[in-house]
Amino acid sequence: MSILVTGGTGFIGSHTVVEFLERGEDIVIVDNFCNSKPVVLDRIERITGRRPKFYEVDLCDAEGLERVFAENPELESCIHFAGLKAVGESTQKPLLYYRNNFLSTLTLCETMARHGVKRIVFSSSATVYGDPERVPIRETDRLGQTTNPYGETKQVIERILSDVVKADPAWSVSLLRYFNPVGAHKSGLIGEDPKGIPNNLFPYVTQVAEGRRPFLHVYGNDYNTHDGTGVRDYIHVVDLARAHLKALDRARTVTGVEVFNIGTGVGYSVLDVVKAFETATGKKIPYVIDPRRPGDIDACYADPAKALSILGWQAEYDLTDMCRDANRWQSMNPNGYDGADA
Ligand code: NAD
Ligand code: UFG
């Protein structure tokens, strides 16, 4: 039996593949490298001693995907990471985001159904809560108004997968709402490798630490938080990866749809992160206070109790671990995977 991992050479996918391989499971990755590089496969092999089966296929390509399933009749479940994820870019290129994220998911589910594979773990996001009615956020809290096409695709794909279950109760769907995944594998061999100027806080901070950028822009210090800067629930990517093992174990025993928040339950401000990073690494992070970034909210952090009670999962790494591991990855790979060899 093996597991199809879409987007398995990306940031979260690669860390999850490592955890599954180390548990002895067989993996088939499908990725079109639109936001990742082939060298990730070498790095996964270096960490685990095993090389996952790989197909360079666009998930929107029905024939290509059909071939993957036909050649791997032992596939029994899917972990679906593939998608475009940059909030800002999604407002500039809405059609690209809607086409890629919807069509890939529809094509995937149709192909799975044809081959009798009815178990899927989907990468959703805390973005589906919009501006939350309260923190910590519970899974039963109301979904918010999305403010960008990226967030819209997450909300709608959650509904599509729920409708699939309504029509055919033999499906098992696990919707994981990730909070803010950061950090890297302890080997320093895999990590987050954004193209161009990073949109997200952690990769920006690590690039400042490396001297690639002069200072951090802190987007606003007048939020309703303990120090005025935005508060988020940062979660170590290895903890997040392990949540997928637990979610799949659960999906193997139940049918229907289940939703889980995957976060630590602790919120840290931008300035908390800067201080923690400086302490963990001994590197100075100069910063300037800039205006708020449009669409940002005061605070967003999870109540992760459901994941603990039903999946038996909880985060083990703290903010210091996240800073140390993100810094190690950036120091060992100053240009990310660019020009990297195995
Ligand atoms: P990533 O961009 O590093 O990985 C996504 C992978 O999917 C990439 O390797 C890309 O090449 C591939 N891909 C995209 N479209 C494809 C297609 N049509 N066919 C085949 N491959 C395709 O992103 P990530 O940070 O690893 O995120 C993984 C998932 O988790 C995404 O669905 C993302 O929306 C979701 N998520 C991420 C975050 C975050 O902050 N990183 C937060 C919440 C949810
Ligand atoms: N921030 C800065 N400077 C930066 C980058 C970010 O001050 O250079 C601040 C933001 O204003 C925010 C915090 O750092 O207060 C975190 O910002 P990120 O961009 O790292 O993360 P977001 O919470 O804005 O967004 C993330 C994912 C989205 C996802 C969302 C909700 O990037 O894909 O979480 O799950 F939709």
Side-chain angles (χ1 to χ4, degrees):
M1 300 310 264
S2 59
I3 305 161
L4 180 71
V5 180
T6 76
T9 48
F11 171 44
I12 305 167
S14 57
H15 287 81
T16 306
V17 166
V18 163
E19 297 300 312
F20 273 110
L21 290 174
E22 287 185 336
R23 191 166 83 161
E25 304 234 28
D26 293 323
I27 297 293
V28 177
I29 297 178
V30 172
D31 202 298
N32 65 357
F33 293 133
C34 70
N35 198 36
S36 57
K37 304 244 167 59
V39 69
V40 173
L41 295 164
D42 302 321
R43 298 290 179 89
I44 290 172
E45 187 176 2
R46 259 177 79 185
I47 295 169
T48 65
R50 297 179 64 200
R51 193 172 185 87
K53 203 162 178 182
F54 178 79
Y55 288 85
E56 184 173 348
V57 165
D58 189 316
L59 284 181
C60 303
D61 166 11
E63 282 175 20
L65 198 56
E66 175 58 31
R67 189 168 53 85
V68 174
F69 277 78
E71 289 180 11
N72 297 279
E74 75 292 355
L75 285 173
E76 47 98 10
S77 347
C78 174
I79 317 239
H80 181 32
F81 293 105
L84 299 174
K85 64 162 182 178
V87 171
E89 186 185 52
S90 81
T91 63
Q92 310 294 315
K93 301 176 181 169
L95 296 177
L96 175 71
Y97 271 65
Y98 287 130
R99 163 171 280 277
N100 189 72
N101 292 3
F102 288 144
L103 192 55
S104 59
T105 304
L106 296 176
T107 309
L108 174 66
C109 291
E110 285 168 353
T111 314
M112 288 173 67
R114 249 195 332 274
H115 288 267
V117 180
K118 297 186 175 181
R119 193 176 300 122
I120 185 166
V121 178
F122 174 62
S123 303
S124 190
S125 165
T127 196
V128 298
Y129 296 111
D131 194 351
E133 52 184 347
R134 60 169 175 186
V135 281
I137 305 171
R138 292 193 200 133
E139 289 84 351
T140 45
D141 288 351
R142 66 143 177 75
L143 299 188
Q145 181 70 45
T146 57
T147 53
N148 58 79
Y150 166 73
E152 189 66 18
T153 67
K154 292 298 179 197
Q155 269 197 4
V156 174
I157 292 171
E158 285 200 359
R159 290 211 296 277
I160 291 172
L161 294 174
S162 304
D163 288 342
V164 167
V165 170
K166 274 188 212 147
D168 180 356
W171 276 76
S172 179
V173 171
S174 186
L175 305 174
L176 302 187
R177 292 180 180 156
Y178 311 159
F179 281 69
N180 287 57
V182 300
H185 191 264
K186 63 179 186 310
S187 62
L189 291 172
I190 54 174
E192 188 169 11
D193 181 23
K195 284 184 187 154
I197 302 171
N199 298 310
N200 298 117
L201 179 63
F202 256 75
Y204 207 105
V205 167
T206 58
Q207 292 193 8
V208 172
E210 274 309 297
R212 266 174 80 177
R213 308 197 181 272
F215 44 76
L216 173 70
H217 299 265
V218 175
Y219 296 139
N221 65 351
D222 57 352
Y223 284 103
N224 184 21
T225 61
H226 63 272
D227 62 16
T229 65
V231 164
R232 297 292 183 274
D233 186 339
Y234 298 96
I235 172 164
H236 196 295
V237 65
V238 172
D239 275 330
L240 174 59
R242 290 175 182 160
H244 292 79
L245 277 66
K246 300 278 192 179
L248 187 60
D249 288 345
R250 167 86 179 164
R252 281 170 169 157
T253 64
V254 296
T255 53
V257 188
E258 287 187 324
V259 186
F260 297 100
N261 283 341
I262 305 295
T264 64
V266 184
Y268 288 106
S269 72
V270 177
L271 295 182
D272 291 336
V273 169
V274 168
K275 274 184 225 126
F277 194 92
E278 291 182 337
T279 307
T281 66
K283 295 177 179 171
K284 191 89 194 123
I285 306 297
Y287 64 85
V288 291
I289 305 290
D290 274 9
R292 290 181 175 205
R293 186 171 64 176
D296 276 356
I297 54 178
D298 299 297
C300 176
Y301 53 94
D303 178 342
K306 186 179 175 193
L308 178 58
S309 66
I310 294 182
L311 300 180
W313 173 89
Q314 66 183 332
E316 288 169 15
Y317 294 113
D318 64 15
L319 187 61
T320 303
D321 300 318
M322 301 178 213
C323 293
R324 184 201 56 224
D325 293 345
N327 179 60
R328 183 188 300 112
W329 150 255
Q330 190 72 63
S331 306
M332 286 172 62
N333 307 269
N335 298 312
Y337 293 114
D338 260 357
D341 52 32

